[in-house]
């Protein structure tokens, strides 16, 4: 578990224990093959640390600059040679080289970007918020909340090269996090509170918006408004996304794989910053509740949905939940 506290924790059942000291580890990612976990330090002078997984504990093995300010998200190339980081503060995305053990070598590629959006408070500049490698491996894609764009960089052996190909979202959307399902990409748009589905074209590096769905009908209970956080697929017909403010999980229906309707709104722990689907449950990081909420996944004829909170687990300011097998 990553959090705004200087510690990475391990959750086993309902028991939380310290795994390693870290500087504001707001987001975590796992290496696909090596026993390595990566954590951002979400500060102005951002950095990333690699940890060796040693049972229930972690040992720091390497550290590198994140290439920008306020790193908020990590992803790893499927072959394991590169760690990708998005820096919210200045919009810079970066690729950090990894050695065979999964440790940071210090070599990197930085990818600054410019632009803005219509929301003067949140879109005054580029704000890179998440990234992924396309299933066929040809592109590194960055969701930019500040410019309402997906920025796609062609990859050569995992290294981003050239200028980005840009997919434009409706103005004021604020694309934040995404989940990929074949050639479809479902994007949680933080500012518009919509889930937008994009059909991806691997040859061109462009996406086409093919559908969207609302996620909230309630007014905010916490803060000044509603904003989306993280989303995951429940099955091929539904997905779940966190809504901060209303402090709920929204279950969105998919028709032929495309988001097109809001199916359910289920109250959850305060300020659902992140979530993961694991062993028939949705675990939710309630950042402002100091709780992890556990919801059952409920199968149905028209796709799975989410039940009410079945359990809460005390956790200091949880911000990211990553299953470790």
């Amino acid at each position: 578990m990553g959090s705004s506290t200087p510690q990475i924790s391990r959750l086993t059942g309902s028991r939380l224990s310290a795994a390693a000291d870290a500087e504001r580890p707001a987001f975590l990612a796992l290496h696909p093959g090596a026993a390595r976990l990566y954590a951002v330090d979400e500060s102005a002078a951002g950095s990333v640390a690699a940890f060796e997984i040693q049972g229930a504990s972690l040992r720091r093995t390497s550290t590198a600059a994140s290439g920008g300010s306020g790193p908020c998200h990590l992803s790893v190339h499927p072959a394991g040679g590169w760690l990708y980081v998005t820096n919210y503060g200045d919009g810079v995305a970066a690729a950090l080289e990894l050695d065979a053990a999964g440790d940071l070598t210090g070599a990197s590629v930085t990818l600054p970007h410019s632009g803005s959006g219509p929301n003067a408070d949140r879109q005054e500049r580029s704000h890179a918020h998440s990234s992924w490698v396309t299933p066929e491996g040809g592109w590194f894609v960055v969701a930019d909340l500040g410019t309402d764009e997906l920025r796609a960089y062609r990859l050569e052996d995992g290294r981003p090269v050239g200028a980005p190909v840009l997919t434009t979202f409706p103005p004021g959307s604020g694309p934040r996090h995404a989940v990929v399902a074949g050639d479809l990409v479902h994007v949680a748009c933080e500012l518009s509170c919509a889930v937008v589905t994009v059909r991806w074209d691997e040859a061109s590096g462009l996406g086409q918006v093919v559908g969207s769905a609302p996620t909230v009908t309630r007014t905010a209970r916490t803060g000044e408004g509603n904003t989306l956080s993280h989303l995951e697929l429940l099955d091929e017909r539904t997905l779940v996304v966190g809504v901060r403010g209303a402090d709920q999980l929204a279950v969105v229906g998919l028709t032929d794989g495309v988001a097109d309707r809001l199916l359910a709104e289920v109250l959850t722990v305060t300020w659902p910053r992140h979530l993961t689907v694991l062993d028939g449950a949705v675990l939710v990081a309630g950042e402002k509740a100091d709780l992890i909420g556990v919801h059952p996944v409920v199968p149905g004829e028209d796709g799975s949905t989410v039940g009410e909170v079945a359990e809460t687990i005390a956790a200091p300011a949880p911000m990211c939940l990553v299953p470790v097998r």
Side-chain angles (χ1 to χ4, degrees):
M1 183 194 83
S3 73
S4 61
T5 69
Q7 181 176 284
I8 300 172
S9 300
R10 185 179 183 92
L11 178 65
T12 305
S14 299
R15 179 176 174 269
L16 198 70
S17 59
D21 293 333
E23 298 78 17
R24 194 174 170 81
F27 201 86
L28 310 174
L30 287 172
H31 191 283
R36 291 293 184 273
L37 180 137
Y38 306 98
V40 301
D41 170 13
E42 194 182 45
S43 58
S47 65
V48 178
F51 296 85
E52 181 183 10
I53 302 171
Q54 299 178 324
S57 64
L58 300 171
R59 180 181 68 88
R60 187 188 296 256
T61 58
S62 55
T63 304
S66 69
S69 66
C72 62
H73 187 275
L74 296 167
S75 59
V76 187
H77 190 276
W82 294 86
L83 175 68
Y84 305 107
V85 55
T86 51
N87 293 280
Y88 181 85
D90 55 12
V92 175
L96 310 182
E97 187 182 51
L98 302 175
D99 64 18
D103 292 324
L104 296 152
T105 69
S108 65
V109 177
T110 55
L111 305 164
H113 192 59
S114 61
S116 60
N119 186 322
D121 292 333
R122 297 294 310 280
Q123 295 184 305
E124 80 290 354
R125 63 172 303 156
S126 171
H127 290 299
H129 217 312
S130 66
S131 70
W132 61 94
V133 174
T134 58
E136 295 183 33
W139 300 86
F140 165 57
V141 185
V142 177
D144 197 317
L145 182 148
T147 65
D148 290 322
E149 294 168 325
L150 300 184
R151 300 153 45 185
Y153 300 87
R154 191 173 292 279
L155 291 177
E156 293 182 356
D157 296 324
R159 178 190 292 270
V161 296
V165 177
L166 302 177
T167 295
T168 302
F169 274 55
S173 295
R176 177 185 172 97
H177 283 193
V179 61
V180 179
D183 67 343
L184 296 174
V185 183
H186 307 294
V187 183
C189 292
E190 177 172 337
L191 305 182
S192 66
C193 288
V195 171
V196 173
T197 301
V198 171
R199 190 173 302 279
W200 178 255
D201 180 65
E202 183 73 6
S204 66
L206 276 172
Q208 177 187 4
V209 174
V210 293
S212 67
T215 61
V216 59
T217 61
R218 295 185 174 102
T219 57
R221 299 189 299 160
T222 306
E224 297 180 355
N226 293 319
T227 57
L228 298 194
S229 58
H230 188 70
L231 75 171
E232 294 284 352
L233 291 168
L234 293 173
D235 56 32
E236 70 277 4
R237 291 175 291 178
T238 57
L239 61 79
V240 60
V241 60
V243 185
R244 295 170 296 178
D247 298 334
Q248 67 177 35
L249 300 180
V251 179
V252 171
L254 311 174
T255 300
D256 296 326
V258 176
D260 62 358
R261 63 202 186 279
L262 173 62
L263 295 176
E265 299 174 85
V266 181
L267 293 177
T268 190
V269 287
T270 304
W271 211 253
R273 171 75 176 241
H274 193 256
L275 59 87
T276 190
V277 180
L278 180 66
D279 296 336
V282 180
L283 279 66
V284 183
E287 182 183 1
K288 295 185 179 181
D290 290 330
L291 293 172
I292 296 170
V294 182
H295 297 253
V297 174
V298 183
E301 292 184 0
D302 297 321
S304 297
T305 188
V306 176
E308 296 181 356
V309 175
E311 180 185 4
T312 58
I313 302 165
M319 298 176 75
C320 184
L321 301 171
V322 175
V324 178
R325 297 291 188 179

